[in-house]
Amino acid sequence: MNIEQFVQRAESLHKHLEDLYQTATVLPWIPPDLLPEAFKELYSTSKIVQLAVEELYQQHHQLIQTQNLLEVERQRYQDLFELAPESYLITNVEGVIQEANHAASRLLNVSKPFLIGKALINFVSMEERQHIRSELIGLSQLETHRVRELVVRLQPRHCESFQAALTVIVVRNQHSQEISLRWVLHNITERQRAELAVVKNDSDLIQARPVQKHSKGENISVNPLEILYVSQGWVKLTTFCETGEEVLIGLATAGMVFGSSMTSLNIYQVTALSDVELVSIYVTEIEASPTLSHVLLPKINQRLQQTESFLAISGRRRVQERLYNLLELLKQTVGETVPEGTRLCVRFTHEDIASACCSTRVTVTRLIGKLQAQGLLSFDSKKHMIIKDLY
């Protein structure tokens, strides 16, 4: 029964009760005490119902008007969604496509009806799918309305793959539970070609790229698909041996690069030795741009040479020689000239030095004490080493 039928029946009931009540009160042969009290209450109740029905009828018309306005607005935004030049997708939290506009359909070369229900990861190149799976899991930690941008290689149906920027936000309900993900897809192949064509030095390299900031002592996660450029600060690169001891394998300072893609170690840990600013560069970008490769190749070579230097130190027979060689290497890497000698800008513990020398902390502490006694090594007020010429 719709509202119109309900109103008509309520009015008919009220009219019938009113006729009965009038007939019962005017007939002279019916004593007044025979008119049931319940009949009077029924008539009064019917009047209340009639008033309620009239109010409901007015509210119903207001709701219809509001619904019409909402439908107009919904259709307007649907048209904007469908006809927007940008590629838009709405997925569930697992990345399964629920809605897609015409631009997304063209970009992925799949008609809209066939896109719905497909996993977005199906359109990501095979070598990057594990990375996207990890990112989807990590999106659960993303705050509402915070934007996350991913750079991946998309593989449209029956077309060549291309480099794409995926911008995503998480939509949550009133209980802060994830209900969907909203995506914007950009083909950035041409943009990258234009940007990379002008890369000539470090400032060009990091320009317009997001900067990751890490505090001193923080462990820094690394993505095997990225190389990280240090724009400010120092980071320590370590691994762990079978005994569980930490082994220093490198130091990256401003202007240097590092990344897990540059090593075959199973455990590769990065720790900020100071407040650090990093810029990420995807390996696929380097592969696609000879200009970018030309800028980064000397930096990658610098890291490899440093690694070889650490390997050469560990190969020295005597611990004292290992320590002397390490201190000379640190002077070149993080040293600054002061009147007393060369001051290391980073504080290293005896444990750090011992791990790099493949020795014990006790032995290193004894040898450092010996160098102090000889006047070849001292410490400033902030416990930074000051080293004189050891050879």
Side-chain angles (χ1 to χ4, degrees):
M1 183 188 299
N2 59 34
I3 189 66
E4 298 289 348
Q5 292 174 325
F6 178 72
V7 170
Q8 290 174 5
R9 292 193 180 186
E11 290 178 348
S12 176
L13 173 63
H14 180 75
K15 184 66 170 62
H16 185 57
L17 289 174
E18 184 179 16
D19 291 342
L20 288 175
Y21 183 74
Q22 293 296 334
T23 301
T25 55
V26 300
L27 290 177
W29 60 84
I30 299 179
D33 58 347
L34 293 180
L35 188 62
E37 188 65 28
F39 189 76
K40 292 181 179 180
E41 292 180 3
L42 184 59
Y43 177 73
S44 298
T45 303
S46 73
K47 292 178 69 176
I48 295 173
V49 170
Q50 186 182 32
L51 292 173
V53 167
E54 291 176 357
E55 184 177 351
L56 180 62
Y57 187 75
Q58 292 176 354
Q59 291 178 353
H60 175 68
H61 276 285
Q62 290 175 353
L63 285 174
I64 289 176
Q65 292 176 352
T66 302
Q67 184 179 9
N68 291 337
L69 289 174
L70 289 174
E71 178 59 26
V72 170
E73 287 296 304
R74 188 202 68 79
Q75 188 59 50
R76 186 164 72 91
Y77 282 107
Q78 185 66 30
D79 292 341
L80 290 172
F81 176 79
E82 293 291 348
L83 302 176
E86 303 286 357
S87 299
Y88 292 125
L89 294 175
I90 297 176
T91 72
N92 63 11
V93 293
E94 287 80 27
V96 176
I97 300 171
Q98 297 174 326
E99 294 184 51
N101 68 351
H102 290 296
S105 173
R106 291 193 300 269
L107 186 72
L108 300 176
N109 198 35
V110 179
S111 63
K112 282 183 56 182
F114 290 100
L115 266 180
I116 308 305
K118 299 292 190 301
L120 177 59
I121 201 169
N122 291 343
F123 300 97
V124 176
S125 60
M126 292 295 295
E127 62 271 17
E128 298 191 32
R129 289 187 180 182
Q130 186 56 48
H131 169 55
I132 293 299
R133 290 190 184 97
S134 301
E135 290 288 351
L136 283 172
I137 295 172
L139 287 175
S140 61
Q141 307 301 320
L142 193 67
E143 297 178 9
T144 305
H145 303 308
R146 287 289 298 275
V147 175
R148 178 87 168 95
E149 182 168 302
L150 314 173
V151 178
V152 299
R153 195 157 198 86
L154 289 183
Q155 179 64 66
R157 186 185 180 195
H158 304 317
C159 293
E160 291 185 5
S161 62
F162 59 85
Q163 201 75 359
L166 277 55
T167 304
V168 57
I169 62 171
V170 178
V171 181
R172 302 180 188 272
N173 60 18
Q174 62 270 30
H175 304 296
S176 298
Q177 298 171 323
E178 300 170 79
I179 56 174
S180 65
L181 304 173
R182 294 177 182 170
W183 303 81
V184 183
L185 283 59
H186 298 277
N187 184 339
I188 60 172
T189 303
E190 293 302 323
R191 186 185 79 184
Q192 284 186 334
R193 287 174 182 168
E195 289 176 353
L196 298 179
V198 298
V199 173
K200 297 182 179 63
N201 51 46
D202 286 12
S203 61
D204 294 331
L205 182 68
I206 64 176
Q207 188 175 12
R209 294 179 183 271
V211 176
Q212 304 175 24
K213 296 185 178 182
H214 301 274
S215 302
K216 181 180 179 180
E218 182 180 347
N219 286 333
I220 301 169
S221 60
V222 289
N223 180 348
L225 302 177
E226 297 175 334
I227 284 179
L228 292 169
Y229 171 88
V230 183
S231 62
Q232 179 177 309
W234 303 275
V235 298
K236 179 175 68 173
L237 312 175
T238 58
T239 187
F240 291 89
C241 60
E242 294 178 354
T243 61
E245 295 180 349
E246 188 179 35
V247 179
L248 180 66
I249 58 172
L251 295 168
T253 63
M256 294 181 67
V257 296
F258 65 91
S260 59
S261 61
M262 298 168 60
T263 179
S264 59
L265 295 172
N266 292 327
I267 301 175
Y268 185 77
Q269 181 168 293
V270 183
T271 307
L273 292 175
S274 65
D275 290 342
V276 174
E277 293 186 2
L278 305 174
V279 174
S280 63
I281 305 164
Y282 278 85
V283 174
T284 52
E285 293 184 64
I286 302 172
E287 294 172 350
S289 170
T291 305
L292 189 59
S293 300
H294 178 74
V295 173
L296 288 176
L297 184 59
K299 300 181 183 302
I300 296 172
N301 188 48
Q302 182 185 18
R303 273 287 304 116
L304 294 177
Q305 289 177 347
Q306 188 191 77
T307 300
E308 288 183 345
S309 297
F310 276 100
L311 286 173
I313 290 170
S314 64
R316 297 282 182 178
R317 180 170 299 181
R318 298 175 57 210
V319 177
Q320 180 175 319
E321 290 183 358
R322 292 181 221 155
L323 176 61
Y324 285 11
N325 279 267
L326 175 65
L327 293 178
E328 288 294 334
L329 178 60
L330 294 179
K331 284 169 60 177
Q332 298 171 19
T333 306
V334 293
E336 62 176 3
T337 303
V338 294
E340 298 85 357
T342 302
R343 175 181 176 272
L344 302 187
C345 300
V346 181
R347 287 178 54 183
F348 295 97
T349 66
H350 289 190
E351 194 70 44
D352 290 332
I353 295 174
S355 71
C357 292
C358 299
S359 182
T360 64
R361 183 182 60 80
V362 173
T363 300
V364 166
T365 299
R366 178 176 58 81
L367 290 174
I368 287 177
K370 185 177 179 180
L371 290 174
Q372 285 183 273
Q374 295 173 348
L376 299 176
L377 187 149
S378 60
F379 293 87
D380 65 10
S381 59
K382 295 183 178 180
K383 303 297 182 182
H384 290 260
M385 284 187 182
I386 301 176
I387 306 168
K388 292 185 179 180
D389 292 334
L390 302 177
Y391 294 101

